[in-house]
Amino acid sequence: EAGVTQFPSHSVIEKGQTVTLRCDPISGHDNLYWYRRVMGKEIKFLLHFVKESKQDESGMPNNRFLAERTGGTYSTLKVQPAELEDSGVYFCASSQDGGRKTQYFGPGTRLLVL
Amino acid sequence: AQRVTQPEKLLSVFKGAPVELKCNYSYSGSPELFWYVQYSRQRLQLLLRHISRESIKGFTADLNKGETSFHLKKPFAQEEDSAMYYCALTPGRNSGGYQKVTFGTGTKLQVIP
């Protein structure tokens, strides 16, 4: 069974540009999460989808970040315009339906904003 | 607010020595506690959770509500244990947003041959 996949694995962009990250969850997983680790800090929750609906987006840093999950399958996280402080590793995770299901993480996308 | 603290950024031990990775948390209710591990060039994965009360790869962790701690222990370290370890919590099942994971900053375990 394929795990959670993320694309791209690395992205280097200039301040002010736009970047879109993609996450493909494990097939059949209704829950999809985005997290971010900024250099030297902890992994922080960004948001949680249940199917195509945003269940919790309390961790989204500001309105430059837009997450979508049209159709309830893959998700995209767009940063527009990117700022230097957006640099970090963006992780996606998915889990089956239900409260205590294990979250399976993707390999992450390393974003560097210059 | 929920918070997870891992005081050590790096822990170096010799092979065969005991390991204890410290984790303290703050949360007003009854959270669920986890340890995640990330081996070199691999993705983050769940190691163990306190509700399972199980030992994985020789590691155990006991939830101490009085001290709000969830330290990870292993009696004899092995070289393949070298990795980044993250302590994490989610709110209790009866709390809103119970699937949101709060992570600590992580401790890098280095097992010296």
mmCIF file with all atom_site columns, all heavy atoms in Angstrom, chain A residues 46-66:
data_model
loop_
_atom_site.group_PDB
_atom_site.id
_atom_site.type_symbol
_atom_site.label_atom_id
_atom_site.label_alt_id
_atom_site.label_comp_id
_atom_site.label_asym_id
_atom_site.label_entity_id
_atom_site.label_seq_id
_atom_site.pdbx_PDB_ins_code
_atom_site.Cartn_x
_atom_site.Cartn_y
_atom_site.Cartn_z
_atom_site.occupancy
_atom_site.B_iso_or_equiv
_atom_site.pdbx_formal_charge
_atom_site.auth_seq_id
_atom_site.auth_comp_id
_atom_site.auth_asym_id
_atom_site.auth_atom_id
_atom_site.pdbx_PDB_model_num
ATOM 1   N N   . LEU A 1 46 ? -1.285  22.937 11.252 1.00 0.00 ? 46 LEU A N   1
ATOM 2   C CA  . LEU A 1 46 ? -1.848  24.006 10.441 1.00 0.00 ? 46 LEU A CA  1
ATOM 3   C C   . LEU A 1 46 ? -3.355  23.838 10.301 1.00 0.00 ? 46 LEU A C   1
ATOM 4   O O   . LEU A 1 46 ? -4.119  24.726 10.659 1.00 0.00 ? 46 LEU A O   1
ATOM 5   C CB  . LEU A 1 46 ? -1.195  24.032 9.060  1.00 0.00 ? 46 LEU A CB  1
ATOM 6   C CG  . LEU A 1 46 ? 0.297   24.344 9.021  1.00 0.00 ? 46 LEU A CG  1
ATOM 7   C CD1 . LEU A 1 46 ? 0.810   24.297 7.588  1.00 0.00 ? 46 LEU A CD1 1
ATOM 8   C CD2 . LEU A 1 46 ? 0.587   25.700 9.653  1.00 0.00 ? 46 LEU A CD2 1
ATOM 9   N N   . LEU A 1 47 ? -3.783  22.691 9.728  1.00 0.00 ? 47 LEU A N   1
ATOM 10  C CA  . LEU A 1 47 ? -5.216  22.470 9.604  1.00 0.00 ? 47 LEU A CA  1
ATOM 11  C C   . LEU A 1 47 ? -5.540  21.018 9.366  1.00 0.00 ? 47 LEU A C   1
ATOM 12  O O   . LEU A 1 47 ? -4.658  20.207 9.109  1.00 0.00 ? 47 LEU A O   1
ATOM 13  C CB  . LEU A 1 47 ? -5.812  23.340 8.490  1.00 0.00 ? 47 LEU A CB  1
ATOM 14  C CG  . LEU A 1 47 ? -5.801  22.813 7.048  1.00 0.00 ? 47 LEU A CG  1
ATOM 15  C CD1 . LEU A 1 47 ? -6.847  23.560 6.244  1.00 0.00 ? 47 LEU A CD1 1
ATOM 16  C CD2 . LEU A 1 47 ? -4.452  22.929 6.437  1.00 0.00 ? 47 LEU A CD2 1
ATOM 17  N N   . HIS A 1 48 ? -6.824  20.730 9.472  1.00 0.00 ? 48 HIS A N   1
ATOM 18  C CA  . HIS A 1 48 ? -7.345  19.379 9.394  1.00 0.00 ? 48 HIS A CA  1
ATOM 19  C C   . HIS A 1 48 ? -8.574  19.354 8.499  1.00 0.00 ? 48 HIS A C   1
ATOM 20  O O   . HIS A 1 48 ? -9.500  20.137 8.700  1.00 0.00 ? 48 HIS A O   1
ATOM 21  C CB  . HIS A 1 48 ? -7.688  18.909 10.823 1.00 0.00 ? 48 HIS A CB  1
ATOM 22  C CG  . HIS A 1 48 ? -8.471  17.653 10.904 1.00 0.00 ? 48 HIS A CG  1
ATOM 23  N ND1 . HIS A 1 48 ? -9.322  17.394 11.954 1.00 0.00 ? 48 HIS A ND1 1
ATOM 24  C CD2 . HIS A 1 48 ? -8.544  16.560 10.090 1.00 0.00 ? 48 HIS A CD2 1
ATOM 25  C CE1 . HIS A 1 48 ? -9.899  16.209 11.796 1.00 0.00 ? 48 HIS A CE1 1
ATOM 26  N NE2 . HIS A 1 48 ? -9.438  15.690 10.663 1.00 0.00 ? 48 HIS A NE2 1
ATOM 27  N N   . PHE A 1 49 ? -8.532  18.474 7.501  1.00 0.00 ? 49 PHE A N   1
ATOM 28  C CA  . PHE A 1 49 ? -9.689  18.245 6.636  1.00 0.00 ? 49 PHE A CA  1
ATOM 29  C C   . PHE A 1 49 ? -10.359 16.935 7.025  1.00 0.00 ? 49 PHE A C   1
ATOM 30  O O   . PHE A 1 49 ? -9.687  15.948 7.316  1.00 0.00 ? 49 PHE A O   1
ATOM 31  C CB  . PHE A 1 49 ? -9.255  18.086 5.175  1.00 0.00 ? 49 PHE A CB  1
ATOM 32  C CG  . PHE A 1 49 ? -8.921  19.355 4.459  1.00 0.00 ? 49 PHE A CG  1
ATOM 33  C CD1 . PHE A 1 49 ? -7.603  19.743 4.292  1.00 0.00 ? 49 PHE A CD1 1
ATOM 34  C CD2 . PHE A 1 49 ? -9.924  20.154 3.913  1.00 0.00 ? 49 PHE A CD2 1
ATOM 35  C CE1 . PHE A 1 49 ? -7.280  20.896 3.603  1.00 0.00 ? 49 PHE A CE1 1
ATOM 36  C CE2 . PHE A 1 49 ? -9.611  21.310 3.226  1.00 0.00 ? 49 PHE A CE2 1
ATOM 37  C CZ  . PHE A 1 49 ? -8.282  21.682 3.072  1.00 0.00 ? 49 PHE A CZ  1
ATOM 38  N N   . VAL A 1 50 ? -11.673 16.925 6.975  1.00 0.00 ? 50 VAL A N   1
ATOM 39  C CA  . VAL A 1 50 ? -12.418 15.677 6.963  1.00 0.00 ? 50 VAL A CA  1
ATOM 40  C C   . VAL A 1 50 ? -13.110 15.649 5.608  1.00 0.00 ? 50 VAL A C   1
ATOM 41  O O   . VAL A 1 50 ? -13.979 16.476 5.335  1.00 0.00 ? 50 VAL A O   1
ATOM 42  C CB  . VAL A 1 50 ? -13.449 15.592 8.101  1.00 0.00 ? 50 VAL A CB  1
ATOM 43  C CG1 . VAL A 1 50 ? -14.239 14.283 7.980  1.00 0.00 ? 50 VAL A CG1 1
ATOM 44  C CG2 . VAL A 1 50 ? -12.764 15.667 9.448  1.00 0.00 ? 50 VAL A CG2 1
ATOM 45  N N   . LYS A 1 51 ? -12.677 14.733 4.800  1.00 0.00 ? 51 LYS A N   1
ATOM 46  C CA  . LYS A 1 51 ? -13.089 14.711 3.396  1.00 0.00 ? 51 LYS A CA  1
ATOM 47  C C   . LYS A 1 51 ? -12.755 16.082 2.804  1.00 0.00 ? 51 LYS A C   1
ATOM 48  O O   . LYS A 1 51 ? -11.626 16.533 2.902  1.00 0.00 ? 51 LYS A O   1
ATOM 49  C CB  . LYS A 1 51 ? -14.556 14.332 3.266  1.00 0.00 ? 51 LYS A CB  1
ATOM 50  C CG  . LYS A 1 51 ? -14.827 12.908 3.760  1.00 0.00 ? 51 LYS A CG  1
ATOM 51  C CD  . LYS A 1 51 ? -16.273 12.481 3.550  1.00 0.00 ? 51 LYS A CD  1
ATOM 52  C CE  . LYS A 1 51 ? -16.465 11.064 4.069  1.00 0.00 ? 51 LYS A CE  1
ATOM 53  N NZ  . LYS A 1 51 ? -17.882 10.608 3.949  1.00 0.00 ? 51 LYS A NZ  1
ATOM 54  N N   . GLU A 1 52 ? -13.721 16.774 2.221  1.00 0.00 ? 52 GLU A N   1
ATOM 55  C CA  . GLU A 1 52 ? -13.379 18.055 1.598  1.00 0.00 ? 52 GLU A CA  1
ATOM 56  C C   . GLU A 1 52 ? -13.602 19.243 2.525  1.00 0.00 ? 52 GLU A C   1
ATOM 57  O O   . GLU A 1 52 ? -13.338 20.382 2.155  1.00 0.00 ? 52 GLU A O   1
ATOM 58  C CB  . GLU A 1 52 ? -14.192 18.240 0.309  1.00 0.00 ? 52 GLU A CB  1
ATOM 59  C CG  . GLU A 1 52 ? -15.683 18.389 0.507  1.00 0.00 ? 52 GLU A CG  1
ATOM 60  C CD  . GLU A 1 52 ? -16.406 17.054 0.607  1.00 0.00 ? 52 GLU A CD  1
ATOM 61  O OE1 . GLU A 1 52 ? -15.727 16.005 0.722  1.00 0.00 ? 52 GLU A OE1 1
ATOM 62  O OE2 . GLU A 1 52 ? -17.641 17.056 0.591  1.00 0.00 ? 52 GLU A OE2 1
ATOM 63  N N   . SER A 1 53 ? -14.059 18.984 3.742  1.00 0.00 ? 53 SER A N   1
ATOM 64  C CA  . SER A 1 53 ? -14.399 20.075 4.663  1.00 0.00 ? 53 SER A CA  1
ATOM 65  C C   . SER A 1 53 ? -13.252 20.380 5.626  1.00 0.00 ? 53 SER A C   1
ATOM 66  O O   . SER A 1 53 ? -12.619 19.470 6.151  1.00 0.00 ? 53 SER A O   1
ATOM 67  C CB  . SER A 1 53 ? -15.643 19.704 5.474  1.00 0.00 ? 53 SER A CB  1
ATOM 68  O OG  . SER A 1 53 ? -16.745 19.490 4.618  1.00 0.00 ? 53 SER A OG  1
ATOM 69  N N   . LYS A 1 54 ? -13.057 21.650 5.878  1.00 0.00 ? 54 LYS A N   1
ATOM 70  C CA  . LYS A 1 54 ? -12.059 22.063 6.867  1.00 0.00 ? 54 LYS A CA  1
ATOM 71  C C   . LYS A 1 54 ? -12.641 21.893 8.258  1.00 0.00 ? 54 LYS A C   1
ATOM 72  O O   . LYS A 1 54 ? -13.572 22.598 8.641  1.00 0.00 ? 54 LYS A O   1
ATOM 73  C CB  . LYS A 1 54 ? -11.654 23.519 6.631  1.00 0.00 ? 54 LYS A CB  1
ATOM 74  C CG  . LYS A 1 54 ? -10.870 23.716 5.357  1.00 0.00 ? 54 LYS A CG  1
ATOM 75  C CD  . LYS A 1 54 ? -10.553 25.186 5.110  1.00 0.00 ? 54 LYS A CD  1
ATOM 76  C CE  . LYS A 1 54 ? -9.874  25.339 3.755  1.00 0.00 ? 54 LYS A CE  1
ATOM 77  N NZ  . LYS A 1 54 ? -9.657  26.750 3.388  1.00 0.00 ? 54 LYS A NZ  1
ATOM 78  N N   . GLN A 1 55 ? -12.096 20.961 9.001  1.00 0.00 ? 55 GLN A N   1
ATOM 79  C CA  . GLN A 1 55 ? -12.575 20.677 10.349 1.00 0.00 ? 55 GLN A CA  1
ATOM 80  C C   . GLN A 1 55 ? -11.988 21.657 11.371 1.00 0.00 ? 55 GLN A C   1
ATOM 81  O O   . GLN A 1 55 ? -12.634 22.052 12.319 1.00 0.00 ? 55 GLN A O   1
ATOM 82  C CB  . GLN A 1 55 ? -12.195 19.247 10.731 1.00 0.00 ? 55 GLN A CB  1
ATOM 83  C CG  . GLN A 1 55 ? -12.660 18.796 12.092 1.00 0.00 ? 55 GLN A CG  1
ATOM 84  C CD  . GLN A 1 55 ? -14.130 18.478 12.130 1.00 0.00 ? 55 GLN A CD  1
ATOM 85  O OE1 . GLN A 1 55 ? -14.764 18.375 11.091 1.00 0.00 ? 55 GLN A OE1 1
ATOM 86  N NE2 . GLN A 1 55 ? -14.684 18.349 13.309 1.00 0.00 ? 55 GLN A NE2 1
ATOM 87  N N   . ASP A 1 56 ? -10.719 21.984 11.148 1.00 0.00 ? 56 ASP A N   1
ATOM 88  C CA  . ASP A 1 56 ? -10.009 22.840 12.091 1.00 0.00 ? 56 ASP A CA  1
ATOM 89  C C   . ASP A 1 56 ? -8.886  23.527 11.331 1.00 0.00 ? 56 ASP A C   1
ATOM 90  O O   . ASP A 1 56 ? -8.011  22.851 10.806 1.00 0.00 ? 56 ASP A O   1
ATOM 91  C CB  . ASP A 1 56 ? -9.453  21.998 13.248 1.00 0.00 ? 56 ASP A CB  1
ATOM 92  C CG  . ASP A 1 56 ? -8.702  22.807 14.295 1.00 0.00 ? 56 ASP A CG  1
ATOM 93  O OD1 . ASP A 1 56 ? -8.464  24.015 14.092 1.00 0.00 ? 56 ASP A OD1 1
ATOM 94  O OD2 . ASP A 1 56 ? -8.337  22.221 15.337 1.00 0.00 ? 56 ASP A OD2 1
ATOM 95  N N   . GLU A 1 57 ? -8.954  24.835 11.227 1.00 0.00 ? 57 GLU A N   1
ATOM 96  C CA  . GLU A 1 57 ? -7.870  25.555 10.550 1.00 0.00 ? 57 GLU A CA  1
ATOM 97  C C   . GLU A 1 57 ? -7.253  26.590 11.481 1.00 0.00 ? 57 GLU A C   1
ATOM 98  O O   . GLU A 1 57 ? -6.724  27.602 11.036 1.00 0.00 ? 57 GLU A O   1
ATOM 99  C CB  . GLU A 1 57 ? -8.371  26.205 9.254  1.00 0.00 ? 57 GLU A CB  1
ATOM 100 C CG  . GLU A 1 57 ? -9.595  27.068 9.390  1.00 0.00 ? 57 GLU A CG  1
ATOM 101 C CD  . GLU A 1 57 ? -10.072 27.617 8.043  1.00 0.00 ? 57 GLU A CD  1
ATOM 102 O OE1 . GLU A 1 57 ? -9.241  27.819 7.139  1.00 0.00 ? 57 GLU A OE1 1
ATOM 103 O OE2 . GLU A 1 57 ? -11.291 27.845 7.910  1.00 0.00 ? 57 GLU A OE2 1
ATOM 104 N N   . SER A 1 58 ? -7.295  26.261 12.754 1.00 0.00 ? 58 SER A N   1
ATOM 105 C CA  . SER A 1 58 ? -6.817  27.202 13.761 1.00 0.00 ? 58 SER A CA  1
ATOM 106 C C   . SER A 1 58 ? -5.316  27.454 13.699 1.00 0.00 ? 58 SER A C   1
ATOM 107 O O   . SER A 1 58 ? -4.834  28.441 14.235 1.00 0.00 ? 58 SER A O   1
ATOM 108 C CB  . SER A 1 58 ? -7.186  26.695 15.160 1.00 0.00 ? 58 SER A CB  1
ATOM 109 O OG  . SER A 1 58 ? -6.581  25.442 15.410 1.00 0.00 ? 58 SER A OG  1
ATOM 110 N N   . GLY A 1 59 ? -4.569  26.572 13.049 1.00 0.00 ? 59 GLY A N   1
ATOM 111 C CA  . GLY A 1 59 ? -3.128  26.737 13.002 1.00 0.00 ? 59 GLY A CA  1
ATOM 112 C C   . GLY A 1 59 ? -2.614  27.480 11.776 1.00 0.00 ? 59 GLY A C   1
ATOM 113 O O   . GLY A 1 59 ? -1.412  27.740 11.664 1.00 0.00 ? 59 GLY A O   1
ATOM 114 N N   . MET A 1 60 ? -3.487  27.852 10.882 1.00 0.00 ? 60 MET A N   1
ATOM 115 C CA  . MET A 1 60 ? -3.044  28.566 9.687  1.00 0.00 ? 60 MET A CA  1
ATOM 116 C C   . MET A 1 60 ? -2.503  29.933 10.119 1.00 0.00 ? 60 MET A C   1
ATOM 117 O O   . MET A 1 60 ? -3.194  30.700 10.786 1.00 0.00 ? 60 MET A O   1
ATOM 118 C CB  . MET A 1 60 ? -4.202  28.722 8.714  1.00 0.00 ? 60 MET A CB  1
ATOM 119 C CG  . MET A 1 60 ? -4.658  27.382 8.136  1.00 0.00 ? 60 MET A CG  1
ATOM 120 S SD  . MET A 1 60 ? -3.469  26.715 6.982  1.00 0.00 ? 60 MET A SD  1
ATOM 121 C CE  . MET A 1 60 ? -4.174  27.326 5.438  1.00 0.00 ? 60 MET A CE  1
ATOM 122 N N   . PRO A 1 61 ? -1.276  30.261 9.697  1.00 0.00 ? 61 PRO A N   1
ATOM 123 C CA  . PRO A 1 61 ? -0.627  31.461 10.221 1.00 0.00 ? 61 PRO A CA  1
ATOM 124 C C   . PRO A 1 61 ? -1.249  32.784 9.772  1.00 0.00 ? 61 PRO A C   1
ATOM 125 O O   . PRO A 1 61 ? -1.301  33.730 10.553 1.00 0.00 ? 61 PRO A O   1
ATOM 126 C CB  . PRO A 1 61 ? 0.818   31.335 9.723  1.00 0.00 ? 61 PRO A CB  1
ATOM 127 C CG  . PRO A 1 61 ? 0.798   30.331 8.641  1.00 0.00 ? 61 PRO A CG  1
ATOM 128 C CD  . PRO A 1 61 ? -0.370  29.462 8.836  1.00 0.00 ? 61 PRO A CD  1
ATOM 129 N N   . ASN A 1 62 ? -1.727  32.860 8.558  1.00 0.00 ? 62 ASN A N   1
ATOM 130 C CA  . ASN A 1 62 ? -2.317  34.106 8.057  1.00 0.00 ? 62 ASN A CA  1
ATOM 131 C C   . ASN A 1 62 ? -3.004  33.831 6.719  1.00 0.00 ? 62 ASN A C   1
ATOM 132 O O   . ASN A 1 62 ? -3.019  32.694 6.239  1.00 0.00 ? 62 ASN A O   1
ATOM 133 C CB  . ASN A 1 62 ? -1.231  35.185 7.898  1.00 0.00 ? 62 ASN A CB  1
ATOM 134 C CG  . ASN A 1 62 ? -0.056  34.681 7.074  1.00 0.00 ? 62 ASN A CG  1
ATOM 135 O OD1 . ASN A 1 62 ? -0.218  34.316 5.921  1.00 0.00 ? 62 ASN A OD1 1
ATOM 136 N ND2 . ASN A 1 62 ? 1.119   34.640 7.682  1.00 0.00 ? 62 ASN A ND2 1
ATOM 137 N N   . ASN A 1 63 ? -3.567  34.874 6.132  1.00 0.00 ? 63 ASN A N   1
ATOM 138 C CA  . ASN A 1 63 ? -4.355  34.669 4.923  1.00 0.00 ? 63 ASN A CA  1
ATOM 139 C C   . ASN A 1 63 ? -3.517  34.517 3.658  1.00 0.00 ? 63 ASN A C   1
ATOM 140 O O   . ASN A 1 63 ? -4.044  34.442 2.555  1.00 0.00 ? 63 ASN A O   1
ATOM 141 C CB  . ASN A 1 63 ? -5.390  35.784 4.750  1.00 0.00 ? 63 ASN A CB  1
ATOM 142 C CG  . ASN A 1 63 ? -4.725  37.148 4.669  1.00 0.00 ? 63 ASN A CG  1
ATOM 143 O OD1 . ASN A 1 63 ? -3.515  37.253 4.563  1.00 0.00 ? 63 ASN A OD1 1
ATOM 144 N ND2 . ASN A 1 63 ? -5.533  38.197 4.731  1.00 0.00 ? 63 ASN A ND2 1
ATOM 145 N N   . ARG A 1 64 ? -2.207  34.447 3.820  1.00 0.00 ? 64 ARG A N   1
ATOM 146 C CA  . ARG A 1 64 ? -1.379  34.129 2.653  1.00 0.00 ? 64 ARG A CA  1
ATOM 147 C C   . ARG A 1 64 ? -1.381  32.623 2.376  1.00 0.00 ? 64 ARG A C   1
ATOM 148 O O   . ARG A 1 64 ? -0.904  32.186 1.340  1.00 0.00 ? 64 ARG A O   1
ATOM 149 C CB  . ARG A 1 64 ? 0.054   34.606 2.885  1.00 0.00 ? 64 ARG A CB  1
ATOM 150 C CG  . ARG A 1 64 ? 0.183   36.134 2.984  1.00 0.00 ? 64 ARG A CG  1
ATOM 151 C CD  . ARG A 1 64 ? 1.641   36.574 3.081  1.00 0.00 ? 64 ARG A CD  1
ATOM 152 N NE  . ARG A 1 64 ? 2.284   36.148 4.311  1.00 0.00 ? 64 ARG A NE  1
ATOM 153 C CZ  . ARG A 1 64 ? 3.121   35.139 4.386  1.00 0.00 ? 64 ARG A CZ  1
ATOM 154 N NH1 . ARG A 1 64 ? 3.439   34.439 3.310  1.00 0.00 ? 64 ARG A NH1 1
ATOM 155 N NH2 . ARG A 1 64 ? 3.675   34.828 5.549  1.00 0.00 ? 64 ARG A NH2 1
ATOM 156 N N   . PHE A 1 65 ? -1.906  31.877 3.309  1.00 0.00 ? 65 PHE A N   1
ATOM 157 C CA  . PHE A 1 65 ? -1.952  30.420 3.185  1.00 0.00 ? 65 PHE A CA  1
ATOM 158 C C   . PHE A 1 65 ? -3.377  29.993 2.836  1.00 0.00 ? 65 PHE A C   1
ATOM 159 O O   . PHE A 1 65 ? -4.324  30.379 3.523  1.00 0.00 ? 65 PHE A O   1
ATOM 160 C CB  . PHE A 1 65 ? -1.523  29.743 4.493  1.00 0.00 ? 65 PHE A CB  1
ATOM 161 C CG  . PHE A 1 65 ? -0.059  29.874 4.785  1.00 0.00 ? 65 PHE A CG  1
ATOM 162 C CD1 . PHE A 1 65 ? 0.465   31.078 5.243  1.00 0.00 ? 65 PHE A CD1 1
ATOM 163 C CD2 . PHE A 1 65 ? 0.787   28.798 4.612  1.00 0.00 ? 65 PHE A CD2 1
ATOM 164 C CE1 . PHE A 1 65 ? 1.827   31.193 5.505  1.00 0.00 ? 65 PHE A CE1 1
ATOM 165 C CE2 . PHE A 1 65 ? 2.141   28.896 4.874  1.00 0.00 ? 65 PHE A CE2 1
ATOM 166 C CZ  . PHE A 1 65 ? 2.667   30.098 5.320  1.00 0.00 ? 65 PHE A CZ  1
ATOM 167 N N   . LEU A 1 66 ? -3.489  29.175 1.792  1.00 0.00 ? 66 LEU A N   1
ATOM 168 C CA  . LEU A 1 66 ? -4.800  28.676 1.385  1.00 0.00 ? 66 LEU A CA  1
ATOM 169 C C   . LEU A 1 66 ? -4.713  27.184 1.138  1.00 0.00 ? 66 LEU A C   1
ATOM 170 O O   . LEU A 1 66 ? -3.929  26.723 0.316  1.00 0.00 ? 66 LEU A O   1
ATOM 171 C CB  . LEU A 1 66 ? -5.278  29.379 0.112  1.00 0.00 ? 66 LEU A CB  1
ATOM 172 C CG  . LEU A 1 66 ? -6.585  28.853 -0.488 1.00 0.00 ? 66 LEU A CG  1
ATOM 173 C CD1 . LEU A 1 66 ? -7.742  29.090 0.491  1.00 0.00 ? 66 LEU A CD1 1
ATOM 174 C CD2 . LEU A 1 66 ? -6.878  29.516 -1.827 1.00 0.00 ? 66 LEU A CD2 1
#
